[in-house]
């Protein structure tokens, strides 16, 4: 078996078009939300291995929070990857995983999604959560009556 490549992308949403093409909408790496709110995002990942690999594999996604806390989700376990049927004569087997993710209690900081293939990190993508700043009220202008009319000071 030889890993050929892996990619992970965070976006707002993922469309599967009628012709089978996947469209990633609004690739995102910064979210600005109220502190401790949830961040709603989509994650798309694809891995490619050589066509001669007919072994069983596992794929996991792991969220790494700014404080180092990790949350792992299994995508598949003990699965033989399918041949790339959409690509005639392809020398690869391909696995694509995509879906909506909800990051609860999003505190400001740098987050990562790690893609683990058979327990090894093969791709990583980052995003930042910023806290919404409370709007400040602009100072009211002072008006002065004068023979020339209202003057702003």
């Amino acid at each position: 078996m030889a890993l050929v490549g892996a990619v992970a992308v965070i976006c707002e949403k993922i469309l599967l078009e009628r012709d089978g093409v996947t469209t990633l909408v609004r690739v995102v790496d910064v979210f600005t939300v109220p502190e401790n709110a949830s961040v709603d995002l989509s994650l798309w990942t694809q891995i490619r291995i050589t066509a001669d690999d007919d072994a069983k594999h596992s794929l996991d996604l792991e969220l790494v929070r700014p404080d180092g806390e990790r949350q792992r989700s299994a995508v598949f376990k003990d699965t033989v990857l399918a041949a790339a049927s959409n690509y005639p004569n392809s020398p690869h087997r391909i696995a694509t995983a995509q879906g909506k993710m909800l990051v609860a209690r999003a505190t400001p900081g740098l987050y990562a999604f790690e893609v683990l293939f058979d327990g090894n990190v093969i791709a990583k993508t980052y995003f930042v959560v910023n806290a919404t700043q409370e709007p400040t009220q602009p100072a009211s202008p002072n008006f002065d009556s004068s023979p020339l009319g209202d003057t702003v000071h």
Side-chain angles (χ1 to χ4, degrees), residues 22 40 147:
T22 300
D40 189 18

Side-chain angles (χ1 to χ4, degrees), residues 17-28:
E17 307 290 348
R18 287 187 196 161
D19 61 358
V21 173
T22 300
T23 300
L24 307 180
V25 179
R26 293 195 67 210
V27 174
V28 183

Side-chain angles (χ1 to χ4, degrees), residues 45-153:
T45 186
Q46 184 180 78
I47 63 169
R48 292 174 183 259
I49 61 174
T50 55
D52 62 348
D53 184 341
D54 58 358
K56 292 182 179 181
H57 297 286
S58 299
L59 183 69
D60 297 289
L61 299 175
E62 191 163 87
L63 172 68
V64 183
R65 299 175 71 88
D67 63 3
E69 177 187 344
R70 293 174 171 267
Q71 298 168 284
R72 186 176 288 197
S73 300
V75 177
F76 60 77
K77 296 281 186 204
D78 299 324
T79 302
V80 175
L81 273 61
S85 60
N86 291 348
Y87 308 101
N89 303 316
S90 173
H92 306 125
R93 290 178 183 254
I94 299 174
T96 301
Q98 62 189 39
K100 297 289 285 177
M101 309 289 274
L102 185 68
V103 180
R105 307 176 337 275
T107 57
L110 180 66
Y111 291 73
F113 271 110
E114 296 179 343
V115 180
L116 294 93
F117 186 64
D118 294 337
N120 299 308
V121 175
I122 59 168
K124 188 184 285 192
T125 186
Y126 296 92
F127 65 98
V128 173
V129 172
N130 291 324
T132 305
Q133 299 297 319
E134 293 295 320
T136 57
Q137 295 295 327
S140 298
N142 292 326
F143 291 98
D144 183 20
S145 294
S146 70
L148 300 174
D150 291 340
T151 305
V152 177
H153 295 278

